[in-house]
Amino acid sequence: MKKLFTLFSILLSSVIYSQNIQTEFFVNENQIEGSFKSNSRIEKLFTQNSKDSILVVTEIKNDSLFSIYVKNNGQKDVLLIPQDNKLTLIQEALNQDKKWKPIEFWVNSDCGMSYLKKINVRSGEIIGVRSKKYKGNFKTKIRFKLLIDKKVYYSNSITASINKSKFEKSAWYNRFKEMYYPDKSEKEVENIFFLNK
């Protein structure tokens, strides 16, 4: 409970002190769309002939949001256990050297109440997720990195613009690292926060 209270305090102070997610490296805050219904247009986005059991496609919804579609491409149902109605997901972008780098990080909740909801995704079913779209003067490619059952899946890449400062670890990154993983090495923390499983 102490960590949960600390996390709440940090998030509250981020509002009070106007933390700027457009320029600062911060946690992903995606939301699963409970009322989402797929249609033929969305189904056509999954045209690639992939053997992956999970497929991820993203598109720009509007100036401030991406739509992300996650399809169960396998023969069996997939049970998802979201964290506070969020998938384990971050955005990555191509940096100036054309290398994929995270522009967000993920923090695992240690509160059991965060994992009460379960979603059974049937074979062939698609679920919808929304995630923030950033703005900036650096034109690049964006993709989403999704972790399910210790396996990573990537979305298609899409052209967008961000601030270059989104590539730099922020004070927020360091606060979460110190709060949750004070005894882990930087590389160990990066593996957790950047979904390198």
Side-chain angles (χ1 to χ4, degrees), residues 146-176:
L146 172 65
L147 181 68
I148 296 177
D149 291 332
K150 299 183 180 177
K151 186 170 180 184
V152 168
Y153 302 93
Y154 293 97
S155 75
N156 57 307
S157 62
I158 194 163
T159 301
S161 296
I162 62 168
N163 285 289
K164 288 183 182 177
S165 55
K166 291 290 289 179
F167 290 115
E168 300 165 12
K169 290 176 183 172
S170 63
W172 297 101
Y173 173 94
N174 291 319
R175 285 178 193 169
F176 281 110

Side-chain angles (χ1 to χ4, degrees), residues 33-39 42 126:
E33 297 183 66
S35 60
F36 172 80
K37 300 285 184 206
S38 186
N39 56 42
I42 292 170
I126 299 169

Side-chain angles (χ1 to χ4, degrees), residues 25-130:
F25 195 61
F26 200 59
V27 296
N28 178 280
E29 298 179 320
N30 75 83
Q31 284 292 310
I32 298 169
E33 297 183 66
S35 60
F36 172 80
K37 300 285 184 206
S38 186
N39 56 42
S40 58
R41 184 193 70 81
I42 292 170
E43 287 168 11
K44 286 177 184 174
L45 297 174
F46 294 91
T47 55
Q48 71 250 39
N49 186 16
S50 175
K51 294 182 179 178
D52 280 346
S53 58
I54 301 291
L55 301 178
V56 186
V57 172
T58 188
E59 64 180 358
I60 294 172
K61 181 171 181 64
N62 55 42
D63 279 351
S64 60
L65 289 172
F66 284 109
S67 288
I68 304 149
Y69 310 113
V70 180
K71 180 178 183 178
N72 176 0
N73 196 44
Q75 299 300 312
K76 298 179 180 178
D77 291 5
V78 173
L79 182 65
L80 299 178
I81 304 175
Q83 174 181 300
D84 300 315
N85 200 43
K86 297 173 176 61
L87 293 183
T88 307
L89 182 78
I90 61 169
Q91 286 186 56
E92 295 184 328
L94 285 175
N95 68 5
Q96 301 94 312
D97 300 323
K98 303 298 180 192
K99 293 182 179 176
W100 287 107
K101 297 291 181 183
I103 58 170
E104 298 175 324
F105 59 100
W106 180 261
V107 176
N108 292 307
S109 171
D110 60 357
C111 174
M113 299 295 284
S114 295
Y115 304 99
L116 294 179
K117 181 179 179 179
K118 294 178 182 173
I119 301 173
N120 186 57
V121 185
R122 297 183 305 274
S123 176
E125 187 177 359
I126 299 169
I127 63 169
V129 182
R130 290 184 182 176

